Amino acid sequence: MAGALLLGGAVAALFGTTLPAHDATAILQPPPDKIVIEVATVNGSGCPLGTAAIAVSEDNTAFTVTYSDYIAKAGGNADPTAFRRNCQLNLVVHVPQGFTYAIASADYRGYASLQAGAKGTEKASYYFQGSPNTASISHEFKGAYNDNWQATDTTDWAQLVWAPCGVQRNFNINTELRLDAGTSDPTKTSFMTMDSTDGDISTIYHLAWKECPRA
C-alpha cells in the first residue's frame, strides 16, 4: 500500500498545531496547485495488505479511504480475537506552499448486526507525527440492531486545529471497530463492519484550508 499519488488540489489531516486566528486567513476554495500524497504505511487487522485505498474528490475538498475487509465479530463461533479490528493510516501530505489544512469533519459508515444485549463501537483517533496531542471520538451502537450505520465526527471552525506551516509532519488516522457480546445469547454472533451496501467501506474526510502567514 506504500506509494505516492499525484493529486490536483489537496488532501488533508486533522488535529495538529493550533495557529492563532491572526496568523492565517480562512479561504473558501482549496489551493489549485498539485500536491503529492505518499501513503507511508497502512497497518492493522482491519486493513490487510491490498484491502485499503485512498482517493481525492475532484474538487479537492475531501478524500475517501475505502476498505474491503474490515469486520469485527463477537459471540457464537467468532474467533476470540475478532472482537476488535483496527486500521492505522500514516500519510505524508505535501501541501502547496503558503497553505495549511485541517479536517473539518469525517463521515464513517458500515453495517451492523448486533444481538440484543450486545454493542458495537466505532472510534477514530487523529494525530500528527511527533505531536503529544491525540484527538479521539467514539460512537456506540446497541443491539438489537440490524441495519446500516453512519457516524460523523465534526469540529467547529473556531476549534479546528491546523497542520503547522512550513513543517512536514506525517499525519496518522487510527480507526477501530470493537464488539462487546455483553448479555447477548452466547451462541449467536454479532458483527460490525465499516462497509457500504456494495461491500466496500467508504470513510470520507472533509477538508478546510487557510493561508499561512507571510514571511
Side-chain angles (χ1 to χ4, degrees), residues 11-32:
V11 154
L14 181 63
F15 309 110
T17 301
T18 304
L19 292 179
H22 65 276
D23 279 350
T25 302
I27 62 174
L28 298 179
Q29 299 296 328

Side-chain angles (χ1 to χ4, degrees), residues 5 16 18 25 27 48 56 69 72 75 82 89 100 105 115 128-129 131 139 143 146 150-152 165 197 200 208:
L5 301 176
T18 304
T25 302
I27 62 174
V56 178
D69 190 21
L89 303 173
T100 184
S105 66
Q115 302 296 326
F128 280 101
Q129 184 178 24
S131 172
H139 302 272
N146 190 31
Q150 181 167 330
T152 299
C165 285
T197 54
D200 288 332

Side-chain angles (χ1 to χ4, degrees), residues 26-211:
I27 62 174
L28 298 179
Q29 299 296 328
D33 297 343
K34 291 183 178 181
I35 66 169
V36 174
I37 303 165
E38 299 175 21
V39 183
T41 58
V42 180
N43 293 315
S45 54
C47 52
L49 184 64
T51 65
I54 299 174
V56 178
S57 64
E58 291 185 2
D59 62 2
N60 304 309
T61 61
F63 71 95
T64 301
V65 182
T66 302
Y67 305 95
S68 60
D69 190 21
Y70 201 151
I71 180 171
K73 300 179 181 180
N77 60 358
D79 188 301
T81 65
F83 76 96
R84 178 184 179 273
R85 290 289 183 259
N86 82 297
C87 184
Q88 177 154 319
L89 303 173
N90 184 286
L91 305 177
V92 182
V93 183
H94 300 278
V95 180
Q97 185 174 2
F99 292 92
T100 184
Y101 55 88
I103 286 185
S105 66
D107 299 322
Y108 299 90
R109 62 174 178 160
Y111 187 86
S113 178
L114 307 176
Q115 302 296 326
K119 68 178 180 180
T121 302
E122 177 272 324
K123 180 180 179 181
S125 301
Y126 313 87
Y127 63 96
F128 280 101
Q129 184 178 24
S131 172
N133 300 320
T134 299
S136 298
I137 303 175
S138 298
H139 302 272
E140 187 175 283
F141 301 86
K142 295 183 178 180
Y145 188 98
N146 190 31
D147 204 347
N148 294 317
W149 63 267
Q150 181 167 330
T152 299
D153 298 345
T154 59
T155 304
D156 292 336
W157 183 267
Q159 302 300 319
L160 288 174
V161 185
W162 303 86
C165 285
V167 178
Q168 182 62 59
R169 298 278 180 85
N170 285 18
F171 181 67
N172 292 273
I173 303 169
N174 190 14
T175 57
E176 175 184 330
L177 293 179
R178 183 182 294 267
L179 262 291
D180 182 355
T183 60
S184 65
D185 184 339
T187 67
K188 296 182 178 180
T189 301
S190 293
F191 69 88
M192 185 174 182
T193 70
M194 241 187 275
D195 185 314
S196 66
T197 54
D198 62 4
D200 288 332
I201 302 159
S202 295
T203 300
I204 301 175
Y205 299 86
H206 303 274
L207 316 182
W209 290 92
K210 282 186 179 182
E211 291 186 6

